[in-house]
Each structure stands twice: as structure tokens, then as C-alpha cells.
Amino acid sequence: MTAFQVELDHISMTYQSPSEETEAISDVSLGLTQGEFVSIVGPSGCGKSTLLDIICGLVKPTRGSVRLQRPAGYMLQRDYLLEWRTIRQNCLLGPELQKHNMKEARTYVDHLLETYGLAEFADHYPRQLSGGMRQRAALIRTLALKPDVLLLDEPFSALDYQTRLAVVDEVWTILRKENKTVILVTHDIAEAISMSDRVVVLSARPARVKVIYQVRLSTAGLPLQRRQDENFRKYFDAIWKELDIYVSLG
Amino acid sequence: MSASAKPSLERKTYLQKMRIHRVVVLLTQLMILIAFLLIWELAANARFIDPFITSQPSRVLAAIIRLHQDGSLYLHVWVTIVETFWGFILGTGGGFLCAVLLWWSRFLHEISEPYLVVLNALPKVALGPLLIVWLGNGSAPIIGMALLISIIVTIISLVSGFQDVDPDKIKLLLSFGATRLQIFTKVVLPSSLPTLISTLKVSVGLSLVGVIMGEFLVSKAGLGYLIVYGSQVFKLDLVMLSIIILAAMAAIIYFGVSFVEKKLLRWQK
Ligand SMILES: Nc1ncnc2c1ncn2[C@@H]1O[C@H](COP(=O)(O)OP(=O)(O)OP(=O)(O)O)[C@@H](O)[C@H]1O
Ligand SMILES: [Mg+2]
């Protein structure tokens, strides 16, 4: 049990506020090995973001502990590129805040921008970029600190459907190429299956691990191609059922 | 991206139209001013209005020339500018520092809230006599008045600007392990720049208001002094002259701040 790169050990979280007490997470344990891609799906408001906040160290769990070798990189729902900084300056934010050697950091960031097709936009401001490019820039900003583990909180939900499919392939390719360990939170079941090695289904609040699916598709390749796999539907239906989504009319 | 190779005919006509529109607006604005001065002058000459109490442009001009020749025009203008400058620097600088402190410490902010609300609503001019007793009858109480009148508004609007910053942007910085000082300098301050500038616009105007109010209460020189003196000895030319110079000062201040705004907010466009 030591081979895990990220290990959540019986995590529980209860928020206190003047009006009430909210139990967000109840006894979640999970381990990820190096290079693994795990998606987390669960009903709205069940505590998914809270879980990532805890792994990142932004929120201290009420009970339990997180084991990580190095701080994880966090990518949020929107890109939050700072409008007054150029793309390169945005990508250098992490190293700058942590007072790293800026010359090395810059070389690395320029290399990433070059590799992932943003080199010519390095000196542009965020508003000059399309949604997909902005999200790629946000990913490079996260990668600039060379984290082993990446936490992605619905990173594609601000994109329109067409862009989203393309960006999912792009981001997935980048993360595979950099051999990162990834935890992705998403509402999109198809996205979760197509990108991941495992899909964790959480219960309604307080979040508990309901079931974990090991995704075994025979189709190798990009997420978009994996959606065509014959077994894809099977996983989709199973997870849909687990999530217990009721569509109420009226 | 708009400046592509060859503008189309439609684009050219559109731009032409916009140019003409701008010229028309500017000309109309000028004409209104000229018409106003002209009517004022003629009405006074024809005795429709009494120039003794309304003055008239030619008399104001003569007064300006008179004060220019004996040099006192520059003394009064200079005194008001210097007092406004210090009132503005102290009020805005002090307000900024207080706002940073209140952003930094939620506790302090909570404590100070009712005091700020009351001080904001209090008419500052009521404190004028106290300022004179405490600070004497030189420039100090006048600068004090300018400071008082601008500092509270500055604090209140800056603090709310600082607190308006998207919490997720702060979360992003925290995920990079940023310190509180870094959060302030890298995100809070730059994202509040538009608030900062609109606050600047308000507080520089308020400083001028404070200075004139202060000069009304106690002064030996300055445009406010000239207004009070002019009205007491029924030299309305002096009063009008001071008001016109004040309007010019306000205009210069406005364009100055707009210039700074353009420089600072280049990324916004
Ligand atoms: N700082 C906080 N203080 C009090 N309660 C909180 C706080 N943050 C989150 N909560 C509550 O905890 C629960 C879980 O929130 P969380 O944001 O983790 O859910 P989520 O699964 O990410 O939701 P969504 O699907 O909307 O993204 C919610 O009921 C929320 O209201
Ligand atoms: Mg969430």
C-alpha cells in the first residue's frame, strides 16, 4: 500500500457557519498510483470541490489525512487568467509566487507554450484568445510548477460543446504526454469515461464513495475515439444508474 | 484585428460619418458656451439684468487683467492648488492605507464599520470650527477640511473594491501557496485598479470642495477667500472670476485623471 502517489485516508469534512453545520464529506478513502487518471462524478453540491480543496491543502479536513509527496496543481472551472498579464506572465505566476529561478521557469514555460501551440500568443493578453486557447494557457500555468499530481475541477464546463470535445482531447494528450497523475471532477459522465482509467461515483451529500469503475476499453487513442468503443455505453448506463438522476418535470 | 489590409467602402463611409458627428458635437458644445457668454454680456449692457449683481464677461475679463497685473491672481490660484494637492495626497493616501489595513484584517473591518458609516454621513463642514481651534488659522485647517471630506469616502469605496475581487482568483493564488501580501499585490490591487481610479476622480474633486469650504471659514488667500471677499464688498466680478477659474481647474483635474486612467488600464481596452 505504499505505491500510491496520492492517498486519501478516511477523509471527513464538516463546514461550520453561523446558521448551520454542513457535513460535506463522510469517510472518503482513495489511492492513486503514478500516472493514473481518475475521474470523480457525483450529484451537484455533494462535496466534490471540497474534496479537491482538501487534497490541495486549501481546506483542512475535519478528520482524516492526505498523503502527497509534493503540492498538487489545481485547475479551476474557469481559467482565471489575469487580464492585465500577458499569457506568458500568467503562465509564470506559480514560479513567481514561489520565488523560483525565473530564468529557468521562463525557459520551461516557453517550451510548454511552444509544444502546445501557444508560442505566438505568449505576449498576447488573455482577452485576445479563444476559450479553448485560454484553457490550454491555464493548464500550462498549472504545469509550470511541474506538479506530479493535477486536480481539475470541471475545467471544461465554461466551454461550448464543440470546443469542449476538442479541448478534452488536447488536455488529455498533454497530461498523458507529461505523465501526470490526475483527478478530474466532472458532471459529464461521457467525459469521465472517455478520459479516465477509473471513475469514482460519489453519493449525494455528504459525499461517500459509492462505487469505483475500472474503465476497460479496447479502443486505444484519444477520448473522442474512445467514445466509439463498444463497451462505452455499458459504463455510461451503469454510472447513470448509480448517480440516480431523476428528471423531474414541472 | 480591425486594421486589416483594405477598409471597405462601407467602413470608409461609416468612419467619415463618425468624424462628422464628433465635429458637430464639439461645435455645438462651443456654440452653447459662446451663446451663453454673449447673451450674458448683451443682457447686462441692455440692463435686462443688473451687472452690479450678476457681473458680465467684459468686467470679469477686466478683473482678470487687473489681478494679473498686480500678480495677486497667481497668489490666490497657487494657494488653492497647493492646499488641494496636500488635501488630496493626505486624504487619498491615508484613505488607501486605511483601506489596505481593513482588507488585511477582517476583525478591524468589523470593528470600524459603524464608525465609518456615521463619519461618512456626518457633514464634514460641521467640524470646521473645531479644525480652526485645533490647527490655527493658516493653511492647516483648510488642508484638514479637504482631508476629512475625501478620506472616508475613499476608505469605504476602496475597501468594497478590494473585497469585490473574485474569490476564485484568490483561491487560484492560494493553490500556488501565495502569501497574503502576494495576494494583495498580484491580484487584489490590479483588479481594483478601475475602482481605484474612479475613487481618485471623486476624491480629487472632493478635496477641491473641502479646500473651498475651508477657505470660506478661515483664510487670507485662495479662490475661496476671493469669493467670500468679493461678495462681502459687492465686487461680483471677483466672485465670477474665481468661479470660472475653479471650473477650469476642475476641467484640468478631470482630464488629468482621465489621462492616468488611459495609461493604467491599457490592458482593458
Ligand atoms: N466554505 C464553506 N462554508 C460552508 N459550507 C460550504 C463551504 N463550501 C462549501 N460548502 C457546502 O458544502 C457542500 C459541498 O460543496 P462543494 O462545493 O464541495 O460541492 P460540489 O460537489 O463541488 O458542487 P458542484 O457540483 O455544484 O460543483 C455544499 O452543500 C456547500 O454549500
Ligand atoms: Mg464544485
Side-chain angles (χ1 to χ4, degrees):
Chain A
M1 292 292 278
T2 49
F4 289 131
Q5 188 155 43
V6 189
E7 198 172 357
L8 309 187
D9 188 14
H10 300 285
I11 299 280
S12 294
M13 178 68 207
T14 306
Y15 284 111
Q16 299 294 342
S17 74
S19 55
E20 60 187 351
E21 193 175 59
T22 312
E23 194 184 3
I25 295 174
S26 167
D27 197 31
V28 168
S29 296
L30 189 66
L32 278 83
T33 52
Q34 151 73 33
E36 203 180 3
F37 198 125
V38 171
S39 286
I40 297 179
V41 296
S44 283
C46 74
K48 304 180 293 292
S49 300
T50 303
L51 198 61
L52 293 194
D53 285 356
I54 289 172
I55 300 170
C56 190
L58 298 177
V59 170
K60 213 174 117 28
T62 322
R63 269 187 302 284
S65 61
V66 177
R67 268 191 293 283
L68 264 176
Q69 258 118 41
R70 296 177 50 222
Y74 204 163
M75 210 170 142
L76 303 168
Q77 194 162 8
R78 284 175 41 211
D79 55 63
Y80 295 111
L81 294 171
L82 304 177
E83 304 88 320
W84 55 88
R85 285 171 166 246
T86 62
I87 296 302
R88 181 188 285 111
Q89 290 168 334
N90 264 294
C91 293
L92 283 168
L93 190 62
E96 185 182 322
L97 292 170
Q98 300 195 356
K99 304 202 162 56
H100 286 186
N101 179 333
M102 288 314 281
K103 228 179 110 189
E104 276 171 27
R106 199 187 146 121
T107 312
Y108 184 56
V109 160
D110 279 348
H111 160 74
L112 289 175
L113 288 170
E114 177 75 43
T115 314
Y116 301 118
L118 285 177
E120 56 178 309
F121 297 99
D123 295 313
H124 285 47
Y125 286 95
R127 63 175 160 74
Q128 298 170 299
L129 269 65
S130 70
M133 290 187 334
R134 292 175 61 120
Q135 208 52 300
R136 229 184 303 154
L139 179 59
I140 292 174
R141 177 183 59 197
T142 314
L143 292 175
L145 282 171
K146 305 186 185 174
D148 307 320
V149 178
L150 265 93
L151 312 172
L152 314 183
D153 194 355
E154 302 183 36
F156 313 115
S157 56
L159 304 171
D160 63 79
Y161 192 70
Q162 297 280 326
T163 315
R164 184 170 178 149
L165 289 177
V167 173
V168 162
D169 278 4
E170 275 172 26
V171 167
W172 187 84
T173 309
I174 295 172
L175 292 172
R176 289 290 70 144
K177 200 161 161 228
E178 305 285 332
N179 195 25
K180 300 296 183 190
T181 308
V182 183
I183 303 180
L184 167 77
V185 163
T186 176
H187 272 121
D188 187 331
I189 301 172
E191 194 172 283
I193 302 167
S194 66
M195 291 181 89
S196 322
D197 303 315
R198 281 192 289 161
V199 178
V200 178
V201 181
L202 297 181
S203 67
R205 190 173 63 80
R208 259 181 267 269
V209 176
K210 216 169 173 187
V211 54
I212 300 181
Y213 289 95
Q214 188 79 43
V215 181
R216 277 182 245 274
L217 300 178
S218 39
T219 316
L222 294 170
L224 195 56
Q225 292 156 353
R226 279 165 55 108
R227 285 176 188 242
Q228 310 303 323
D229 192 280
E230 51 190 335
N231 286 327
F232 188 86
R233 190 82 225 166
K234 202 184 74 197
Y235 287 111
F236 189 97
D237 290 340
I239 294 172
W240 178 270
K241 223 184 222 141
E242 281 301 334
L243 276 175
D244 232 7
I245 302 167
Y246 295 106
V247 183
S248 64
L249 297 170
Chain B
M1 310 195 188
S2 55
S4 51
K6 238 186 245 158
S8 65
L9 191 63
E10 289 85 356
R11 178 100 194 121
K12 272 189 202 150
T13 14
Y14 171 78
L15 289 176
Q16 178 84 27
K17 244 194 194 148
M18 291 308 287
R19 259 197 303 276
I20 293 174
H21 177 75
R22 268 202 302 276
V23 171
V24 168
V25 168
L26 198 69
L27 280 181
T28 315
Q29 286 168 335
L30 261 175
M31 295 231 298
I32 289 175
L33 185 66
I34 291 170
F36 174 73
L37 292 174
L38 212 62
I39 292 171
W40 184 7
E41 179 73 25
L42 294 176
N45 280 342
R47 290 297 181 264
F48 286 134
I49 54 175
D50 181 358
F52 183 65
I53 57 171
T54 62
S55 185
Q56 71 184 107
S58 56
R59 290 180 187 220
V60 173
L61 197 64
I64 289 181
I65 290 168
R66 205 161 3 92
L67 293 193
H68 157 74
Q69 277 161 353
D70 69 12
S72 58
L73 181 64
Y74 306 103
L75 170 76
H76 293 299
V77 171
W78 182 245
V79 164
T80 297
I81 287 177
V82 168
E83 288 167 348
T84 306
F85 174 78
W86 285 115
F88 170 70
I89 293 293
L90 294 174
T92 307
F96 179 80
L97 290 180
C98 291
V100 174
L101 208 65
L102 294 187
W103 175 82
W104 202 280
S105 159
R106 213 168 264 286
F107 182 66
L108 273 185
H109 183 235
E110 219 174 308
I111 303 285
S112 64
E113 201 147 25
Y115 296 103
L116 283 175
V117 170
V118 171
L119 283 176
N120 187 41
L122 183 77
K124 263 51 97 191
V125 69
L127 301 173
L130 276 182
L131 287 178
I132 296 168
V133 172
W134 291 340
L135 300 176
N137 55 6
S139 277
I142 298 171
I143 293 171
M145 181 62 80
L147 182 156
L148 273 184
I149 213 170
S150 61
I151 195 167
I152 306 290
V153 182
T154 304
I155 295 174
I156 290 178
S157 56
L158 282 185
V159 168
S160 80
F162 291 163
Q163 288 176 338
D164 253 6
V165 175
D166 193 332
D168 276 335
K169 268 188 189 156
I170 295 177
K171 180 167 162 181
L172 171 78
L173 260 76
L174 285 173
S175 81
F176 286 134
T179 62
R180 197 138 171 84
L181 180 64
Q182 285 177 323
I183 289 174
F184 184 76
T185 55
K186 306 281 180 195
V187 172
V188 174
L189 195 57
S191 13
S192 330
L193 222 51
T195 316
L196 197 69
I197 286 168
S198 66
T199 309
L200 222 69
K201 272 186 191 157
V202 172
S203 71
V204 73
L206 283 178
S207 306
L208 191 56
V209 171
V211 164
I212 299 301
M213 261 168 24
E215 288 179 346
F216 280 0
L217 292 173
V218 52
S219 64
K220 298 187 198 70
L223 291 170
Y225 162 82
L226 213 54
I227 291 174
V228 173
Y229 171 77
S231 67
Q232 278 168 356
V233 300
F234 266 90
K235 284 190 182 162
L236 275 302
D237 308 342
L238 283 184
V239 177
M240 291 298 181
L241 168 164
S242 309
I243 292 173
I244 289 168
I245 292 175
L246 273 177
M249 278 172 71
I252 291 170
I253 286 170
Y254 175 83
F255 287 115
V257 176
S258 296
F259 179 75
V260 172
E261 183 171 16
K262 268 212 197 85
K263 285 268 145 191
L264 285 180
L265 298 184
R266 247 172 322 177
W267 50 267
Q268 224 178 23
K269 200 168 145 197

